Amino acid sequence: MDKKSQIQHSCVKIYLMGKKILLSGIKPTGRPHIGNYFGAMRQFVELAKDYKSYIFIADYHALNFIQNKAEMKENIIGVLLDYLAIGLDPKEVTLYKQSDVSDHTELTWVFDTITTMPYLMRAHAYKDAEAKSKEIVVGTFNYPMLMATDILLYSPDVVPVGQDQKQHVEIARDTAEKFNHIFGETFKLPEVMIMKDVAVVPGTDGRKMSKSYGNTIPLFAEYVEIKKAVMSIVTDSGEGIPKNVYAIHSLLRPASELLPIYENKTGKYKELKELLIEDLEKFIAPLREKRKEFEKDIPKALAILKAGGEKAKEVASKKMDEVREKIGVNVY
Ligand code: AMP
Ligand code: TRP
């Protein structure tokens, strides 16, 4: 490094040191939908300017659902392209995948030893799985512990997520407090960050938009897919404002613009749906095109992910060393 770049490098370092830290992640379990985008991903991009950001791919979490080599690989690359296409800049944001930083799984074990089974049995995800009376794998039961390590290893100030992840962030806070209480001050308590208006984005049937309900509008949908999804939005036969159409539309335009249109066209559901299709296409098309650009050079995208993993590893392994010291296994 020459003198000038050395000075530049130090300036960036000092500048970043003053910034608060943000961390979040997404499971590579399939195509993201506009609920993921408005509930979480958009915040990653908007906040990247003000926070030192760690954004990762939660591939070990996805292993609970995806147990097929080709599908896992495709999904990981998929989320990476999604992240790049929405505008995450690897110069500003550390982009990595969970499985590249083994400290995540190592710390999970340590947390397992200070967490009780009844406590984890109160987690929503576990209760939902139990209600469906599926055979629950230990990985589903333990999901919140891995998520606590994802968060706590990087000492973030904020964790932007949708409403459904609130309890998981609270579990991370509880776990940090418990560890600090037993072994001494080690972990910073993170704050959950939820955007009120988009905490739960509804799907085409009015329930929470979710891959598992089949009610999604994919974030990078082609025009025909947008059309099909919007046409399938459930409307009641009344004369008023079609609630489900309006709720999705309000993600794209402010109420001051949208309400007069809907009030003018009461009962004209087809016209309103057509307008929503056009608005969605306007919003999605540029993202879709950008993603296709990144898709042309997957090795380049993968090099970004690998470099991000190395950067993340430096931070995480320092914290893990501190943990080993605190729990007393550092004897050399
Ligand atoms: P996942 O794909 O389950 O890893 O979710 C990624 C992020 O999207 C998490 O922060 C979720 O809370 C958020 N999310 C998922 N579905 C919705 C939704 N319907 N509305 C708002 N946020 C959501
Ligand atoms: N559990 C999150 C979800 O399903 C994904 C995730 C894993 C996450 N680890 C995280 C989100 C840490 C925020 C911080 O959406």
Side-chain angles (χ1 to χ4, degrees):
M1 217 187 277
D2 62 23
K3 196 117 195 152
K4 196 171 154 219
S5 7
Q6 241 173 21
I7 293 170
Q8 263 175 359
H9 188 71
S10 315
C11 286
V12 170
K13 245 180 146 171
I14 290 165
Y15 173 63
L16 287 177
M17 266 160 48
K19 280 189 172 183
K20 289 204 165 185
I21 300 172
L22 174 153
L23 176 141
S24 195
I26 286 185
K27 290 192 302 283
T29 46
R31 293 169 80 192
H33 50 72
I34 61 170
N36 298 131
Y37 181 75
F38 287 99
M41 294 162 87
R42 185 174 61 168
Q43 279 74 260
F44 303 171
V45 184
E46 284 174 357
L47 298 168
K49 289 163 203 75
D50 301 322
Y51 289 83
K52 179 172 163 51
S53 300
Y54 294 93
I55 303 292
F56 72 100
I57 301 172
D59 49 354
Y60 275 155
H61 273 122
L63 193 57
N64 281 316
F65 312 91
I66 309 285
Q67 297 179 342
N68 174 293
K69 179 177 167 179
E71 202 181 342
M72 179 64 92
K73 279 194 172 175
E74 193 185 320
N75 286 355
I76 289 172
I77 294 171
V79 177
L80 173 62
L81 296 174
D82 300 341
Y83 277 159
L84 295 170
I86 60 168
L88 288 179
D89 177 356
K91 285 196 231 70
E92 273 183 349
V93 176
T94 307
L95 284 181
Y96 58 103
K97 69 179 167 73
Q98 195 180 31
S99 61
D100 281 349
V101 187
S102 53
D103 307 84
H104 290 231
T105 41
E106 185 174 349
L107 183 58
T108 300
W109 176 258
V110 176
F111 285 166
D112 280 350
T113 66
I114 61 167
T115 306
T116 68
M117 289 190 35
Y119 176 79
L120 283 184
M121 278 172 176
R122 291 200 292 272
H124 301 315
Y126 171 74
K127 286 206 278 196
D128 288 352
E130 202 188 25
K132 284 180 197 149
S133 70
K134 277 197 273 179
E135 292 234 300
I136 302 168
V137 295
V138 177
T140 295
F141 182 64
N142 213 20
Y143 189 106
M145 289 292 97
L146 180 57
M147 182 151 161
T149 69
D150 294 339
I151 298 173
L152 298 174
L153 279 171
Y154 301 86
S155 316
D157 296 281
V158 293
V159 182
V161 283
Q163 178 72 30
D164 59 355
Q165 296 301 313
K166 183 168 182 258
Q167 191 193 35
H168 285 149
V169 181
E170 283 163 0
I171 292 176
R173 284 175 63 95
D174 284 353
T175 309
E177 268 188 312
K178 193 151 192 196
F179 186 98
N180 291 348
H181 179 72
I182 301 172
F183 297 106
E185 200 59 29
T186 309
F187 294 112
K188 179 152 89 187
L189 269 53
E191 296 290 337
V192 66
M193 182 189 255
I194 297 174
M195 295 291 141
K196 237 174 75 211
D197 294 343
V198 287
V200 184
V201 173
T204 52
D205 58 359
R207 291 186 292 172
K208 181 191 120 169
M209 187 174 286
S210 166
K211 275 166 238 170
S212 53
Y213 294 150
N215 63 356
T216 66
I217 301 178
L219 177 58
F220 298 97
E222 295 293 337
Y223 184 71
V224 283
E225 288 178 288
I226 298 175
K227 214 167 152 183
K228 193 167 159 227
V230 171
M231 284 308 170
S232 78
I233 297 176
V234 179
T235 48
D236 41 35
S237 50
E239 278 292 290
I241 286 176
K243 214 171 79 235
N244 295 338
V245 185
Y246 185 87
I248 296 174
H249 217 154
S250 65
L251 299 167
L252 305 168
R253 289 198 203 212
S256 57
E257 241 178 69
L258 213 54
L259 257 180
I261 301 175
Y262 274 67
E263 277 163 358
N264 257 328
K265 292 189 187 294
T266 46
K268 298 183 177 147
Y269 293 178
K270 189 158 174 280
E271 276 181 45
L272 289 170
K273 281 187 171 180
E274 276 162 3
L275 183 63
L276 174 58
I277 292 169
E278 293 319 310
D279 281 353
L280 275 169
E281 171 65 9
K282 262 188 232 150
F283 153 69
I284 289 177
L287 294 176
R288 206 171 57 210
E289 292 319 307
K290 253 179 110 182
R291 194 179 188 281
K292 282 181 186 156
E293 278 306 306
F294 284 111
E295 212 174 339
K296 285 183 192 154
D297 196 348
I298 289 178
K300 187 173 164 200
L302 285 174
I304 291 172
L305 190 67
K306 191 159 180 244
E310 283 158 15
K311 254 171 89 183
K313 174 86 194 161
E314 271 180 40
V315 178
S317 61
K318 243 196 210 150
K319 198 70 188 171
M320 194 61 219
D321 273 348
E322 196 185 331
V323 169
R324 284 197 211 93
E325 181 61 33
K326 292 271 169 66
I327 62 177
V329 298
N330 261 358
V331 292
Y332 309 112

